[in-house]
Protein backbone atom coordinates (compact mmCIF):
# COMPACT_ATOMS: atom_id res chain seq x y z
CA UNK A 1 0.00 0.00 0.00
CA UNK A 2 1.40 3.43 -1.04
CA UNK A 3 1.49 6.29 1.46
CA UNK A 4 -0.53 8.24 -1.14
CA UNK A 5 -2.66 5.30 -2.31
CA UNK A 6 -6.12 6.63 -1.33
CA UNK A 7 -6.91 8.37 -4.59
CA UNK A 8 -5.77 5.50 -6.80
CA UNK A 9 -7.67 2.51 -8.15
CA UNK A 10 -4.75 0.69 -9.78
CA UNK A 11 -1.28 -0.53 -8.86
CA UNK A 12 1.59 1.56 -10.20
CA UNK A 13 3.28 0.08 -13.23
CA UNK A 14 6.55 -1.52 -12.10
CA UNK A 15 8.59 0.32 -14.75
CA UNK A 16 7.07 3.61 -13.62
CA UNK A 17 8.02 2.86 -10.05
CA UNK A 18 11.58 2.21 -11.08
CA UNK A 19 11.71 5.19 -13.37
CA UNK A 20 10.39 7.68 -10.83
CA UNK A 21 12.13 6.37 -7.72
CA UNK A 22 15.05 8.28 -6.23
CA UNK A 23 15.74 5.85 -3.39
CA UNK A 24 18.70 4.20 -5.20
CA UNK A 25 20.62 7.48 -4.79
CA UNK A 26 18.82 9.63 -2.20
CA UNK A 27 19.30 7.02 0.55
CA UNK A 28 22.55 8.93 0.98
CA UNK A 29 20.38 11.56 2.73
CA UNK A 30 19.08 9.33 5.53
CA UNK A 31 21.07 11.11 8.28
CA UNK A 32 19.84 14.54 7.16
CA UNK A 33 16.29 13.28 6.70
CA UNK A 34 16.06 11.82 10.19
CA UNK A 35 17.80 14.80 11.77
CA UNK A 36 15.23 17.09 10.12
CA UNK A 37 12.32 14.87 11.15
CA UNK A 38 13.51 14.78 14.77
CA UNK A 39 13.56 18.58 14.92
CA UNK A 40 10.18 18.78 13.18
CA UNK A 41 8.44 16.29 15.46
CA UNK A 42 9.83 17.89 18.58
CA UNK A 43 8.38 21.22 17.46
CA UNK A 44 5.01 19.54 16.66
CA UNK A 45 4.94 18.24 20.24
CA UNK A 46 6.01 21.55 21.78
CA UNK A 47 3.34 23.45 19.85
CA UNK A 48 0.62 20.98 20.87
CA UNK A 49 -0.02 20.01 17.23
CA UNK A 50 0.49 16.40 18.32
CA UNK A 51 0.58 15.12 21.89
CA UNK A 52 3.96 15.18 23.69
CA UNK A 53 3.76 11.42 24.21
CA UNK A 54 3.26 10.89 20.50
CA UNK A 55 6.21 13.14 19.67
CA UNK A 56 8.36 11.12 22.04
CA UNK A 57 7.26 7.83 20.56
CA UNK A 58 7.96 9.06 17.03
CA UNK A 59 11.40 10.38 18.06
CA UNK A 60 12.35 7.08 19.58
CA UNK A 61 11.10 5.22 16.52
CA UNK A 62 13.15 7.47 14.25
CA UNK A 63 16.28 6.86 16.32
CA UNK A 64 15.77 3.10 16.19
CA UNK A 65 15.41 3.28 12.42
CA UNK A 66 18.56 5.40 12.21
CA UNK A 67 20.51 2.76 14.10
CA UNK A 68 19.19 0.05 11.81
CA UNK A 69 20.11 1.99 8.67
CA UNK A 70 23.58 2.78 10.05
CA UNK A 71 24.08 -0.91 10.77
CA UNK A 72 23.06 -1.77 7.20
CA UNK A 73 20.04 -3.72 8.40
CA UNK A 74 17.46 -1.91 6.28
CA UNK A 75 16.41 -2.77 2.75
CA UNK A 76 14.94 0.20 0.94
CA UNK A 77 12.26 -0.32 -1.64
CA UNK A 78 11.56 1.48 -4.93
CA UNK A 79 7.86 1.03 -4.30
CA UNK A 80 8.26 3.68 -1.58
CA UNK A 81 9.99 5.93 -4.11
CA UNK A 82 12.38 8.00 -2.04
CA UNK A 83 14.21 8.22 1.27
CA UNK A 84 11.42 10.31 2.84
CA UNK A 85 8.63 7.81 2.23
CA UNK A 86 10.86 4.81 2.91
CA UNK A 87 11.63 6.17 6.36
CA UNK A 88 8.01 7.09 7.05
CA UNK A 89 6.93 3.58 6.06
CA UNK A 90 9.61 2.07 8.31
CA UNK A 91 8.43 4.31 11.15
CA UNK A 92 4.83 3.15 10.82
CA UNK A 93 6.02 -0.45 10.79
CA UNK A 94 8.14 0.27 13.88
CA UNK A 95 5.67 2.16 16.10
CA UNK A 96 2.26 1.70 14.47
CA UNK A 97 -0.23 4.32 13.18
CA UNK A 98 1.21 7.09 15.42
CA UNK A 99 4.09 7.11 12.92
CA UNK A 100 1.61 8.57 10.44
CA UNK A 101 1.56 11.83 12.46
CA UNK A 102 5.17 12.70 11.63
CA UNK A 103 4.26 14.28 8.31
CA UNK A 104 1.76 16.72 9.89
CA UNK A 105 2.33 20.29 8.65
CA UNK A 106 5.04 19.20 6.24
CA UNK A 107 5.38 18.07 2.63
CA UNK A 108 8.09 16.15 0.84
CA UNK A 109 8.69 19.35 -1.08
CA UNK A 110 9.95 21.31 1.90
CA UNK A 111 11.39 18.14 3.44
CA UNK A 112 13.66 17.33 0.48
CA UNK A 113 14.76 20.96 0.33
CA UNK A 114 15.63 20.80 4.01
CA UNK A 115 17.65 17.60 3.54
CA UNK A 116 19.64 19.06 0.67
CA UNK A 117 20.32 22.28 2.59
CA UNK A 118 21.66 20.23 5.49
CA UNK A 119 23.72 17.99 3.19
CA UNK A 120 25.27 20.79 1.15
CA UNK A 121 25.93 22.90 4.24
CA UNK A 122 28.10 20.14 5.70
CA UNK A 123 29.86 19.47 2.38
CA UNK A 124 30.53 23.20 1.93
CA UNK A 125 32.36 23.20 5.24
CA UNK A 126 34.20 19.95 4.39
CA UNK A 127 35.40 21.57 1.19
CA UNK A 128 36.60 24.74 2.92
CA UNK A 129 38.51 22.51 5.33
CA UNK A 130 40.10 20.48 2.52
CA UNK A 131 41.02 23.65 0.60
CA UNK A 132 42.67 25.05 3.71
CA UNK A 133 44.69 21.85 4.13
CA UNK A 134 45.87 22.05 0.53
CA UNK A 135 46.76 25.73 0.89
CA UNK A 136 48.78 24.86 3.96
CA UNK A 137 50.80 22.28 2.02
CA UNK A 138 51.41 24.78 -0.79
CA UNK A 139 52.52 27.44 1.71
CA UNK A 140 54.96 24.98 3.30
CA UNK A 141 56.36 24.02 -0.11
CA UNK A 142 56.65 27.70 -0.96
CA UNK A 143 58.59 28.34 2.25
CA UNK A 144 61.07 25.62 1.27
CA UNK A 145 61.52 27.16 -2.16
CA UNK A 146 61.84 30.88 -1.63
CA UNK A 147 65.31 30.65 -3.19
CA UNK A 148 64.51 28.26 -6.00
CA UNK A 149 64.40 30.15 -9.27
CA UNK A 150 62.65 28.92 -12.40
CA UNK A 151 61.61 30.60 -15.61
CA UNK A 152 58.09 31.97 -15.46
CA UNK A 153 56.25 31.31 -18.71
CA UNK A 154 53.94 33.18 -21.01
CA UNK A 155 52.69 31.36 -24.11
CA UNK A 156 54.59 28.43 -22.54
CA UNK A 157 57.78 30.24 -23.60
CA UNK A 158 60.35 31.24 -21.00
CA UNK A 159 59.56 34.81 -19.98
CA UNK A 160 61.10 36.09 -16.74
CA UNK A 161 62.69 34.34 -13.77
CA UNK A 162 60.41 33.85 -10.76
CA UNK A 163 60.84 32.26 -7.37
CA UNK A 164 59.15 28.85 -7.14
CA UNK A 165 57.51 30.15 -3.95
CA UNK A 166 55.92 32.90 -6.01
CA UNK A 167 54.59 30.38 -8.52
CA UNK A 168 53.12 28.18 -5.76
CA UNK A 169 51.61 31.15 -3.97
CA UNK A 170 49.56 31.88 -7.09
CA UNK A 171 47.76 28.58 -6.42
CA UNK A 172 47.38 29.43 -2.74
CA UNK A 173 45.42 32.50 -3.84
CA UNK A 174 43.28 30.57 -6.33
CA UNK A 175 42.25 28.11 -3.64
CA UNK A 176 41.81 31.02 -1.23
CA UNK A 177 39.24 32.56 -3.57
CA UNK A 178 37.54 29.17 -3.84
CA UNK A 179 37.23 29.04 -0.05
CA UNK A 180 35.88 32.60 0.00
CA UNK A 181 33.25 31.70 -2.57
CA UNK A 182 32.10 28.77 -0.44
CA UNK A 183 32.08 30.90 2.71
CA UNK A 184 29.86 33.39 0.93
CA UNK A 185 27.47 30.74 -0.39
CA UNK A 186 27.23 29.33 3.13
CA UNK A 187 24.92 32.25 4.03
CA UNK A 188 22.39 31.13 1.44
CA UNK A 189 22.77 27.41 1.98
CA UNK A 190 22.19 28.00 5.67
CA UNK A 191 18.61 29.19 5.15
CA UNK A 192 15.77 26.90 6.26
CA UNK A 193 12.97 25.97 3.84
CA UNK A 194 10.89 23.85 6.25
CA UNK A 195 7.44 25.24 6.98
CA UNK A 196 6.72 25.95 3.32
CA UNK A 197 4.65 22.78 3.06
CA UNK A 198 3.95 21.67 -0.48
CA UNK A 199 3.85 25.22 -1.86
CA UNK A 200 1.77 27.75 0.06
CA UNK A 201 2.60 27.14 3.71
CA UNK A 202 0.73 25.17 6.36
CA UNK A 203 -2.50 25.61 8.29
CA UNK A 204 -0.95 24.24 11.49
CA UNK A 205 0.43 26.67 14.09
CA UNK A 206 4.05 25.58 13.59
CA UNK A 207 7.05 27.41 15.06
CA UNK A 208 9.68 27.07 12.38
CA UNK A 209 12.11 29.38 14.25
CA UNK A 210 12.31 26.64 16.82
CA UNK A 211 13.25 24.03 14.18
CA UNK A 212 15.72 26.41 12.57
CA UNK A 213 17.40 27.05 15.90
CA UNK A 214 17.71 23.36 16.64
CA UNK A 215 19.17 22.61 13.20
CA UNK A 216 21.57 25.56 13.29
CA UNK A 217 20.05 27.61 10.46
CA UNK A 218 20.79 31.34 10.56
CA UNK A 219 17.88 32.38 8.36
CA UNK A 220 14.43 31.28 7.13
CA UNK A 221 12.91 31.58 3.68
CA UNK A 222 10.42 34.46 3.53
CA UNK A 223 8.44 32.95 0.67
CA UNK A 224 7.12 29.39 0.73
CA UNK A 225 7.04 29.15 -3.08
CA UNK A 226 10.68 30.15 -3.28
CA UNK A 227 11.55 27.78 -0.43
CA UNK A 228 10.34 24.68 -2.30
CA UNK A 229 11.57 25.63 -5.75
CA UNK A 230 14.90 27.28 -4.98
CA UNK A 231 17.89 25.26 -6.14
CA UNK A 232 20.23 28.27 -6.44
CA UNK A 233 22.32 27.07 -3.52
CA UNK A 234 23.01 23.84 -5.42
CA UNK A 235 23.93 25.75 -8.57
CA UNK A 236 26.28 27.90 -6.50
CA UNK A 237 27.81 24.84 -4.93
CA UNK A 238 28.36 23.18 -8.32
CA UNK A 239 29.76 26.37 -9.77
CA UNK A 240 32.22 26.75 -6.89
CA UNK A 241 33.05 23.05 -7.21
CA UNK A 242 33.68 23.41 -10.96
CA UNK A 243 36.11 26.26 -10.42
CA UNK A 244 37.95 24.31 -7.73
CA UNK A 245 38.32 21.46 -10.22
CA UNK A 246 39.58 23.90 -12.86
CA UNK A 247 42.22 25.15 -10.43
CA UNK A 248 43.20 21.61 -9.47
CA UNK A 249 43.33 20.72 -13.14
CA UNK A 250 45.69 23.61 -13.95
CA UNK A 251 47.97 22.59 -11.11
CA UNK A 252 47.77 18.97 -12.30
CA UNK A 253 48.66 20.03 -15.82
CA UNK A 254 51.79 21.76 -14.54
CA UNK A 255 52.79 18.74 -12.50
CA UNK A 256 52.36 16.54 -15.57
CA UNK A 257 54.47 18.86 -17.72
CA UNK A 258 57.05 19.46 -15.03
CA UNK A 259 57.52 15.78 -14.30
CA UNK A 260 58.16 14.97 -17.98
CA UNK A 261 61.69 14.21 -19.12
CA UNK A 262 61.54 17.36 -21.24
CA UNK A 263 61.04 19.68 -18.25
CA UNK A 264 62.50 17.57 -15.45
CA UNK A 265 61.47 20.14 -12.82
CA UNK A 266 59.80 17.78 -10.36
CA UNK A 267 59.62 14.11 -9.60
CA UNK A 268 56.36 12.81 -8.22
CA UNK A 269 56.54 10.27 -5.45
CA UNK A 270 56.38 6.65 -6.63
CA UNK A 271 53.34 6.11 -4.42
CA UNK A 272 51.41 8.57 -6.60
CA UNK A 273 52.38 7.14 -9.99
CA UNK A 274 51.76 3.96 -11.92
CA UNK A 275 53.69 1.94 -14.47
CA UNK A 276 53.02 0.73 -17.97
CA UNK A 277 52.07 -2.87 -18.61
CA UNK A 278 54.28 -2.90 -21.70
CA UNK A 279 57.02 -0.26 -21.42
CA UNK A 280 59.22 -1.05 -18.44
CA UNK A 281 60.78 2.42 -18.22
CA UNK A 282 57.49 4.27 -17.73
CA UNK A 283 56.35 6.10 -14.61
CA UNK A 284 53.04 7.74 -15.37
CA UNK A 285 51.45 10.68 -13.53
CA UNK A 286 47.99 9.06 -13.48
CA UNK A 287 46.71 10.96 -10.48
CA UNK A 288 47.08 14.49 -11.88
CA UNK A 289 45.91 13.20 -15.26
CA UNK A 290 42.72 11.82 -13.73
CA UNK A 291 42.10 15.01 -11.79
CA UNK A 292 42.44 16.91 -15.07
CA UNK A 293 40.19 14.31 -16.69
CA UNK A 294 37.48 14.44 -14.04
CA UNK A 295 37.14 18.21 -14.19
CA UNK A 296 34.70 17.95 -17.09
CA UNK A 297 32.20 15.86 -15.21
CA UNK A 298 31.85 18.40 -12.39
CA UNK A 299 31.46 21.23 -14.89
CA UNK A 300 28.91 19.02 -16.65
CA UNK A 301 26.87 18.63 -13.46
CA UNK A 302 26.70 22.42 -13.13
CA UNK A 303 25.51 22.83 -16.73
CA UNK A 304 23.07 19.96 -16.28
CA UNK A 305 21.37 21.52 -13.24
CA UNK A 306 21.20 24.96 -14.85
CA UNK A 307 19.54 23.32 -17.85
CA UNK A 308 17.09 21.42 -15.63
CA UNK A 309 16.03 24.64 -13.92
CA UNK A 310 15.93 27.11 -16.75
CA UNK A 311 12.37 26.49 -17.95
CA UNK A 312 10.70 25.19 -14.80
CA UNK A 313 7.51 26.92 -13.77
CA UNK A 314 7.04 27.52 -10.04
CA UNK A 315 7.09 25.57 -7.83
CA UNK A 316 8.18 21.95 -7.33
CA UNK A 317 8.41 19.81 -10.45
CA UNK A 318 9.63 16.24 -10.54
CA UNK A 319 12.49 17.41 -12.79
CA UNK A 320 14.05 18.72 -9.59
CA UNK A 321 14.77 15.21 -8.41
CA UNK A 322 17.59 15.39 -10.98
CA UNK A 323 19.41 17.85 -8.72
CA UNK A 324 20.89 15.14 -6.52
CA UNK A 325 23.18 12.76 -8.39
CA UNK A 326 25.29 15.54 -9.90
CA UNK A 327 25.79 17.11 -6.49
CA UNK A 328 26.67 13.76 -4.87
CA UNK A 329 29.08 12.88 -7.66
CA UNK A 330 30.74 16.31 -7.50
CA UNK A 331 31.23 15.93 -3.75
CA UNK A 332 32.96 12.55 -4.23
CA UNK A 333 35.04 13.78 -7.17
CA UNK A 334 36.29 16.82 -5.28
CA UNK A 335 36.90 14.91 -2.11
CA UNK A 336 39.24 12.52 -3.93
CA UNK A 337 41.00 15.21 -5.95
CA UNK A 338 41.69 17.42 -2.94
CA UNK A 339 42.71 14.52 -0.71
CA UNK A 340 45.29 13.40 -3.30
CA UNK A 341 46.63 16.76 -4.46
CA UNK A 342 47.80 17.81 -0.99
CA UNK A 343 50.11 14.81 -0.30
CA UNK A 344 51.20 14.71 -3.95
CA UNK A 345 52.47 18.31 -3.73
CA UNK A 346 53.96 17.71 -0.29
CA UNK A 347 55.84 14.63 -1.49
CA UNK A 348 57.15 15.84 -4.85
CA UNK A 349 60.91 16.31 -5.29
CA UNK A 350 61.94 19.60 -6.84
CA UNK A 351 64.94 19.79 -9.18
CA UNK A 352 66.01 23.36 -8.45
CA UNK A 353 69.20 22.95 -10.53
CA UNK A 354 67.24 22.22 -13.68
CA UNK A 355 64.83 25.06 -13.04
CA UNK A 356 67.68 27.48 -12.53
CA UNK A 357 69.54 26.33 -15.62
CA UNK A 358 66.45 26.85 -17.74
CA UNK A 359 65.97 30.31 -16.27
CA UNK A 360 69.58 31.24 -17.10
CA UNK A 361 69.64 29.69 -20.53
CA UNK A 362 66.30 31.01 -21.60
CA UNK A 363 67.32 34.70 -21.81
CA UNK A 364 64.75 35.41 -19.13
CA UNK A 365 67.09 38.21 -18.02
CA UNK A 366 67.12 39.95 -21.40
CA UNK A 367 64.67 42.68 -20.33
CA UNK A 368 66.92 43.41 -17.39
CA UNK A 369 69.98 43.79 -19.64
CA UNK A 370 68.06 46.32 -21.72
CA UNK A 371 67.00 48.17 -18.55
CA UNK A 372 70.64 48.11 -17.41
CA UNK A 373 71.79 49.81 -20.62
CA UNK A 374 69.06 52.42 -20.14
CA UNK A 375 70.39 53.23 -16.66
CA UNK A 376 73.81 53.69 -18.28
CA UNK A 377 72.31 56.32 -20.58
CA UNK A 378 71.24 54.44 -23.73
CA UNK A 379 67.74 55.20 -25.08
CA UNK A 380 65.47 52.17 -24.52
CA UNK A 381 64.84 51.56 -28.22
CA UNK A 382 68.59 51.30 -28.90
CA UNK A 383 69.07 49.14 -25.82
CA UNK A 384 66.37 46.76 -27.09
CA UNK A 385 68.23 46.51 -30.42
CA UNK A 386 71.62 45.87 -28.77
CA UNK A 387 70.23 43.15 -26.52
CA UNK A 388 68.39 41.57 -29.44
CA UNK A 389 71.67 41.25 -31.30
CA UNK A 390 73.48 39.85 -28.25
CA UNK A 391 70.73 37.24 -27.85
CA UNK A 392 71.23 36.26 -31.49
CA UNK A 393 74.99 35.86 -30.92
CA UNK A 394 74.33 33.69 -27.86
CA UNK A 395 71.86 31.56 -29.80
CA UNK A 396 74.46 30.93 -32.50
CA UNK A 397 77.14 30.05 -29.98
CA UNK A 398 74.94 28.11 -27.57
CA UNK A 399 75.62 30.55 -24.72
CA UNK A 400 73.58 32.44 -22.18
CA UNK A 401 73.92 36.19 -21.60
CA UNK A 402 76.09 35.72 -18.52
CA UNK A 403 78.56 33.61 -20.57
CA UNK A 404 79.53 36.62 -22.72
CA UNK A 405 82.86 38.24 -21.86
CA UNK A 406 83.14 41.91 -20.96
CA UNK A 407 84.96 42.44 -24.28
CA UNK A 408 82.07 40.93 -26.18
CA UNK A 409 79.68 43.20 -24.30
CA UNK A 410 81.78 46.30 -24.90
CA UNK A 411 81.99 45.52 -28.58
CA UNK A 412 78.19 45.60 -28.66
CA UNK A 413 77.92 48.62 -26.39
CA UNK A 414 80.85 50.43 -24.71
CA UNK A 415 78.66 51.48 -21.78
CA UNK A 416 78.71 47.97 -20.26
CA UNK A 417 80.77 47.51 -17.09
CA UNK A 418 81.75 44.65 -14.79
CA UNK A 419 78.58 45.13 -12.69
CA UNK A 420 76.48 43.73 -15.55
CA UNK A 421 77.06 40.13 -14.33
CA UNK A 422 75.63 40.89 -10.92
CA UNK A 423 72.67 42.59 -12.54
CA UNK A 424 71.91 39.57 -14.73
CA UNK A 425 71.97 36.93 -11.99
CA UNK A 426 68.53 35.38 -11.97
CA UNK A 427 68.04 36.07 -8.24
CA UNK A 428 68.79 39.72 -8.81
CA UNK A 429 66.52 39.82 -11.81
CA UNK A 430 63.74 38.41 -9.63
CA UNK A 431 64.52 40.74 -6.74
CA UNK A 432 64.35 43.76 -8.99
CA UNK A 433 60.59 43.09 -9.12
CA UNK A 434 60.06 44.34 -5.60
CA UNK A 435 57.05 46.55 -6.13
CA UNK A 436 53.43 45.48 -5.62
CA UNK A 437 52.75 41.83 -6.32
CA UNK A 438 56.21 41.05 -7.72
CA UNK A 439 58.49 38.07 -7.23
CA UNK A 440 61.25 39.76 -5.17
CA UNK A 441 62.39 37.79 -2.13
CA UNK A 442 61.23 40.45 0.33
CA UNK A 443 57.76 40.56 -1.26
CA UNK A 444 57.43 36.77 -1.31
CA UNK A 445 58.30 36.61 2.39
CA UNK A 446 55.70 39.25 3.22
CA UNK A 447 53.02 37.42 1.23
CA UNK A 448 53.88 34.12 2.94
CA UNK A 449 53.26 35.78 6.30
CA UNK A 450 49.98 37.23 5.09
CA UNK A 451 48.76 33.86 3.79
CA UNK A 452 49.35 32.23 7.16
CA UNK A 453 47.19 34.87 8.81
CA UNK A 454 44.46 34.35 6.21
CA UNK A 455 44.57 30.59 6.81
CA UNK A 456 44.18 31.16 10.55
CA UNK A 457 41.16 33.36 9.86
CA UNK A 458 39.50 30.63 7.80
CA UNK A 459 40.19 28.05 10.49
CA UNK A 460 38.62 30.36 13.09
CA UNK A 461 35.58 30.84 10.86
CA UNK A 462 35.21 27.06 10.57
CA UNK A 463 35.10 26.88 14.36
CA UNK A 464 32.28 29.41 14.63
CA UNK A 465 29.82 27.99 12.05
CA UNK A 466 27.27 25.23 12.62
CA UNK A 467 27.47 21.92 10.81
N1 LIG B 1 12.20 12.41 -4.32
C1 LIG B 1 11.74 13.74 -4.50
C2 LIG B 1 12.90 14.62 -4.99
O1 LIG B 1 14.00 14.24 -4.79
C3 LIG B 1 11.22 14.31 -3.23
C4 LIG B 1 10.17 15.35 -3.41
C5 LIG B 1 8.98 14.73 -4.04
N2 LIG B 1 7.85 15.60 -4.04
C6 LIG B 1 6.77 15.32 -4.81
N3 LIG B 1 5.81 16.14 -4.73
N4 LIG B 1 6.76 14.29 -5.60
O2 LIG B 1 12.70 15.66 -5.55
Amino acid sequence: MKLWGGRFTKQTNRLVEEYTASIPFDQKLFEEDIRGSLAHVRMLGECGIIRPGEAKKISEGLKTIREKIRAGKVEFSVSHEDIHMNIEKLLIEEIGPTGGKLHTGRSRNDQVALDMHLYVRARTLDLVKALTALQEVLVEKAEEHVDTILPGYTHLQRAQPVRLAHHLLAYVDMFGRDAERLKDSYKRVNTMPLGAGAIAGTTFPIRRERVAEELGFDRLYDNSMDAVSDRDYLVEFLSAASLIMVHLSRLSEELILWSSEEFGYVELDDAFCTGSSMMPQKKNPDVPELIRGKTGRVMGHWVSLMTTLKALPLTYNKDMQEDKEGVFDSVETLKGALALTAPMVAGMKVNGEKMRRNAEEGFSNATDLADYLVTKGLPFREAHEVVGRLVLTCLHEGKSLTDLTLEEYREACPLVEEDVYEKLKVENVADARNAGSGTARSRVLEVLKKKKIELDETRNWLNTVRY
Side-chain angles (χ1 to χ4, degrees):
M1 184 65 184
K2 300 277 190 211
L3 288 170
W4 41 254
R7 186 226 178 278
F8 286 76
T9 55
K10 262 193 186 175
Q11 291 280 310
T12 316
N13 178 304
R14 182 72 197 169
L15 273 178
V16 171
E17 274 190 342
E18 278 170 12
Y19 194 70
T20 57
S22 53
I23 188 65
F25 50 87
D26 71 8
Q27 52 185 276
K28 220 187 184 80
L29 294 172
F30 82 89
E31 292 281 358
E32 287 78 10
D33 198 70
I34 292 179
R35 186 175 171 198
S37 288
L38 285 170
H40 176 67
V41 79
R42 179 164 160 185
M43 179 277 290
L44 291 179
E46 282 174 7
C47 295
I49 298 169
I50 63 175
R51 283 200 293 276
E54 293 171 330
K56 191 155 177 271
K57 195 168 168 185
I58 293 173
S59 288
E60 273 156 18
L62 284 169
K63 286 179 191 159
T64 309
I65 291 163
R66 184 164 61 189
E67 284 318 309
K68 285 187 187 164
I69 302 176
R70 282 178 183 165
K73 286 188 197 141
V74 167
E75 265 207 43
F76 296 112
S77 153
V78 290
S79 62
H80 302 310
E81 198 177 317
D82 55 26
I83 187 64
H84 326 294
M85 288 199 291
N86 267 272
I87 288 177
E88 193 177 330
K89 196 80 184 169
L90 289 165
L91 181 67
I92 293 167
E93 277 164 25
E94 184 74 31
I95 65 168
T98 308
K101 298 202 172 189
L102 167 63
H103 213 48
T104 312
R106 185 177 79 170
S107 153
R108 273 187 297 150
N109 295 351
D110 55 349
Q111 185 180 1
V112 73
L114 176 74
D115 291 5
M116 286 302 277
H117 274 276
L118 285 171
Y119 175 83
V120 171
R121 180 177 73 181
R123 300 296 87 78
T124 299
L125 298 177
D126 289 346
L127 272 184
V128 174
K129 222 179 264 175
L131 285 168
T132 310
L134 175 56
Q135 285 179 290
E136 229 170 69
V137 166
L138 287 162
V139 164
E140 268 168 39
K141 246 325 182 236
E143 271 184 315
E144 283 169 37
H145 291 286
V146 171
D147 294 316
T148 306
I149 309 275
L150 77 157
Y153 295 83
T154 63
H155 311 268
L156 201 56
Q157 308 290 322
R158 294 174 199 167
Q160 291 179 341
V162 293
R163 295 177 178 278
L164 179 56
H166 196 58
H167 194 119
L168 295 172
L169 282 167
Y171 283 100
V172 172
D173 280 347
M174 290 182 230
F175 295 123
R177 284 194 297 276
D178 290 333
E180 262 175 46
R181 248 182 295 280
L182 289 167
K183 279 157 80 173
D184 186 66
S185 69
Y186 178 88
K187 288 183 236 160
R188 288 171 293 281
V189 80
N190 204 23
T191 305
M192 193 187 78
L194 205 71
I199 162 169
T202 172
T203 56
F204 291 98
I206 56 163
R207 274 174 50 205
R208 56 188 190 130
E209 295 76 13
R210 186 69 195 85
V211 181
E213 184 191 282
E214 182 166 339
L215 296 175
F217 283 105
D218 298 324
R219 302 197 295 196
L220 296 153
Y221 277 89
D222 289 327
N223 183 297
S224 64
M225 294 176 78
D226 184 39
V228 292
S229 61
D230 174 27
R231 296 295 182 271
D232 295 0
Y233 63 103
L234 300 180
V235 172
E236 283 190 59
F237 181 78
L238 291 175
S239 154
S242 298
L243 201 42
I244 296 171
M245 284 305 292
V246 167
H247 292 154
L248 288 170
S249 183
R250 293 181 80 172
L251 175 57
S252 293
E253 168 66 14
E254 296 209 300
L255 294 181
I256 295 162
L257 274 177
W258 287 8
S259 62
S260 71
E261 202 65 35
E262 281 66 17
F263 271 82
Y265 285 0
V266 297
E267 190 185 342
L268 298 179
D269 195 275
D270 274 5
F272 287 84
C273 295
T274 59
S276 155
S277 55
M278 193 238 183
M279 299 168 280
Q281 83 283 13
K282 291 290 290 284
K283 175 171 159 185
N284 297 329
D286 289 34
V287 172
E289 285 176 302
L290 261 182
I291 292 171
R292 189 178 59 183
K294 282 175 188 285
T295 301
R297 65 197 275 167
V298 178
M299 292 163 61
H301 294 319
W302 174 74
V303 173
S304 161
L305 182 57
M306 290 284 275
T307 312
T308 298
L309 295 175
K310 81 175 184 41
L312 286 187
L314 295 186
T315 49
Y316 180 83
N317 299 273
K318 187 71 169 176
D319 316 43
M320 287 176 164
Q321 185 165 285
E322 286 293 305
D323 64 358
K324 289 175 198 63
E325 284 165 290
V327 170
F328 295 160
D329 182 66
S330 300
V331 165
E332 290 311 315
T333 305
L334 272 158
K335 207 167 131 186
L338 284 163
L340 282 167
T341 302
M344 190 166 60
V345 169
M348 74 187 182
K349 263 204 233 99
V350 171
N351 186 346
E353 284 293 297
K354 182 73 200 289
M355 289 182 171
R356 192 194 168 86
R357 209 175 326 130
N358 280 9
E360 284 170 347
E361 287 171 0
F363 305 104
S364 61
N365 45 9
T367 316
D368 291 67
L369 178 57
D371 289 351
Y372 169 86
L373 296 177
V374 170
T375 60
K376 298 283 176 184
L378 206 63
F380 180 77
R381 197 41 62 209
E382 282 176 44
H384 190 288
E385 172 72 21
V386 168
V387 177
R389 265 183 288 145
L390 284 169
V391 166
L392 203 59
T393 309
C394 287
L395 281 172
H396 282 140
E397 296 173 13
K399 284 182 180 168
S400 67
L401 286 171
T402 43
D403 294 333
L404 294 173
T405 62
L406 198 54
E407 288 66 47
E408 286 173 302
Y409 270 122
R410 292 224 165 118
E411 221 167 275
C413 174
L415 294 170
V416 178
E417 288 170 72
E418 188 62 42
D419 62 350
V420 72
Y421 296 105
E422 207 42 36
K423 201 78 189 171
L424 294 185
K425 266 199 189 155
V426 283
E427 283 83 2
N428 296 336
V429 171
D431 285 344
R433 272 96 189 141
N434 63 356
S437 54
T439 193
R441 192 171 202 280
S442 57
R443 282 299 298 141
V444 168
L445 291 177
E446 271 172 51
V447 172
L448 271 170
K449 228 184 263 166
K450 186 167 174 223
K451 293 307 132 184
K452 287 188 196 163
I453 296 170
E454 286 173 7
L455 281 172
D456 275 342
E457 282 166 2
T458 305
R459 272 188 289 259
N460 288 341
W461 180 82
L462 280 167
N463 287 332
T464 61
V465 291
R466 295 259 327 251
Y467 247 87

